[in-house]
Amino acid sequence: MLALSRGEDVSAAWMVAAALGSYAIAYRFYARYLLTRVLRADPTRATPAERLDDGIDFHPTDRRVLLGHHFAGISGAGPLVGPVLAAQMGYLPGTFWIIVGVIFAGAVQDMTVLFFSTRRDGKSLGQIAREEIGPVGGAAAVVAIFSIMIILLAVLALVVVNALAESPWGAFSVGMTIPIALFMGVYLRFLRPGRVAEVTVIGVALLLFVIAAGRWVANSGLAEAFTLDPRTLVIWLVIYGFAASVVPVWLLLVPRDYLSTFMKIGTIALLALAIVVTLPSLRMDAVTDFASNGDGPVFAGSLFPFVFITIACGAVSGFHSLISSGTTPKMIQKETQVRTIGYGAMLMESSVAIMALTAACVLDPGTYFAMNAPPAVIGDTLQTAADTISGWGFTVTPDQLAAAAESVEEESLLSRTGGAPTLALGLAGILSDVIGGDSMMSFWYHFAIMFEALFILTAIDAGTRVGRFILQDMLGGLHPRLARLRSNAWLPGVLLTSGLVVGLWGWLLWVGVNDPLGGINTLYPVFGISNQLLAAVALAICTVLLVKSGRLRYAWVTLVPLAWVAVVTLTASWQKVFSGDPAVGFLARRDQYQDGIDAGQLLPGAQDMGDMRTIVNNATVDAVISAVLALLVVIVLADALRVCVRAARDPGAERLNESPHVASRLIAPAGLIPTREERADLAAAGLGPGGGIPEGSAPVPTASSGAASGSASGANPEASR
């Protein structure tokens, strides 16, 4: 505030300090309040991982490993790409929303969904909605959730394809994480059970080796074998997604996500350290003119509502609710761990978003807009781009743009839209000031591109498995003869539903790779809004569950973020459908290109009249999908309100569909670092730091777990219900 009022430069280090300090306070106090007062987590209650352990989907997993899996599962393209694109509004709006949004909305959603799913045998969000809200709102929620999930998975897969295509370094390094993960899974399951520290050291060492070896492979005779075109990558992604959905979680999904987390957090921590050491200034304006006039070249629309839609995963993301009600609740050891895994992992993701925004804003603004504005706006030459951007008030020269591309060994950085190259350039500039100097710019740039692909791939494997769970629940409820599909032990059902899920997003991806205007490219414009609409559904379901479980006085913790997210997303949906600006509204864009067809005129983005007609069809499809999804969400919200009002008036009128209370025999710490009491309990039971079930033990509540949760929940009738 002082620097802004004095017209001084603002150091990026202050953004890092503000974010990390806020996260620490929120986790220490607000997350604890949610755990002990609002949710009343019960350490004496057995989780589905303990009660239903089948070694396939249900499996008690060390909290440290599960935190890595959960973080990797929720961390898709959003926290890397969204904040970079939102930087066109200035660094201040994005930073403020990322920090405030995650504390009071995103982390709250992830933690509460994880808790309520754990209380219901790890059921999917759609099934919970059907049981707790009713047939109308539940059916609307299931259709919306599954449709949005397929769109999200296809978009994430497209980002991976774009990042790894023709990149032998990236393809080799990312591909080698699969056999490493398989080894780690077997090591923990059979060779050295419970030795998390050992397998972590081995896995991280192997990961660093394959990353370094990837560059060697790219410069050797093996490069051709790992230089994959987009079509080949699609096939491999579909095969990998199917395998990750079918094989036991302990074998591939969890160890690979855990391994990926070290690279993700390690890179972000290194970036934060480099910022503190180099203290780069934020060169982007605090708030740009594009925030008010809505004419931004990166994306059209004013600050409200579109900056909140664009940032998405860094603050609140509906996709997270699918992981929180998918794989994670089937593996969590104790209810008291939802604070560490649900709230903590979301804070970790938000820190990634802050770093991404910072990396974009330390770049010269002229370079930033040259990389993110489309050719139709800035042209396709350095001179036209420099002239156009300078006209916006961000001075840049052709020589500067050429030098930036040369520093990372790229032919051109013009119109490298999507956010990933911008983040890579910003990250490379910061890290090269600490390690290697200018000679390492190219290394760090291409390392960041590969890092983003690894980041996003972990969301695809977990998301596909969650999609299988949702489809199993949905098909199994259609007819009694199909009920067997819900069983995770029936292999034909698992194979069928996994194949259907990967087939749907794989088909959208395949068409999109082969046709720049088809497949997932058609649905890409609705990605951000659909993701946030899903967050509104998740928060609505959590509000219903709080009210039905007798926690009406605490319903504000989900109701307040629900109200904000609903207003933002429904406003954005309305504008995207009905705005008269063709750059914003789908119907206006359809009319614009239809008029061009009628006049025989080619408009930007089309190569011929066939493309013109495709754009008209795509805009119509996007408008219909946006309207239908918004309508489904309105139905869910209306039905949720009905249930809440009825439950508030007559608490006994609504039945809560929780699993029966079963006393837990498992002993495990609530947080990453065991307390003194927890260490004593583990030692008395003869267990290591990962916890477990003592041999021959009877169901016993642990005093230390109760202390860790801060609530005598075992004696609380509301906690039991």
Side-chain angles (χ1 to χ4, degrees), residues 390-411:
S390 297
W392 299 335
F394 304 102
T395 304
V396 67
T397 66
D399 290 342
Q400 287 177 307
L401 296 178
E406 184 179 355
S407 68
V408 293
E409 299 180 14
E410 292 281 354
E411 293 184 6

Side-chain angles (χ1 to χ4, degrees), residues 691-710:
I693 300 176
E695 291 187 11
S697 65
V700 288
T702 60
S704 62
S705 296
S709 71

Side-chain angles (χ1 to χ4, degrees), residues 617-653:
N617 293 334
N618 288 353
T620 304
V621 169
D622 289 337
V624 171
I625 290 178
S626 297
V628 169
L629 290 177
L631 179 61
L632 290 172
V633 171
V634 169
I635 293 173
V636 174
L637 296 179
D639 214 15
L641 177 62
R642 174 189 62 81
V643 175
C644 287
V645 170
R646 191 165 67 181
R649 288 178 176 175
D650 184 5

Side-chain angles (χ1 to χ4, degrees), residues 481-498:
R481 292 184 178 179
L482 298 176
R484 194 177 183 185
L485 285 171
R486 289 179 171 173
S487 172
N488 294 321
W490 191 47
L491 185 58
V494 171
L495 297 176
L496 173 64
T497 50
S498 297

Side-chain angles (χ1 to χ4, degrees), residues 554-565:
Y554 299 111
W556 63 268
V557 300
T558 54
L559 185 59
V560 171
L562 166 61
W564 172 253
V565 172

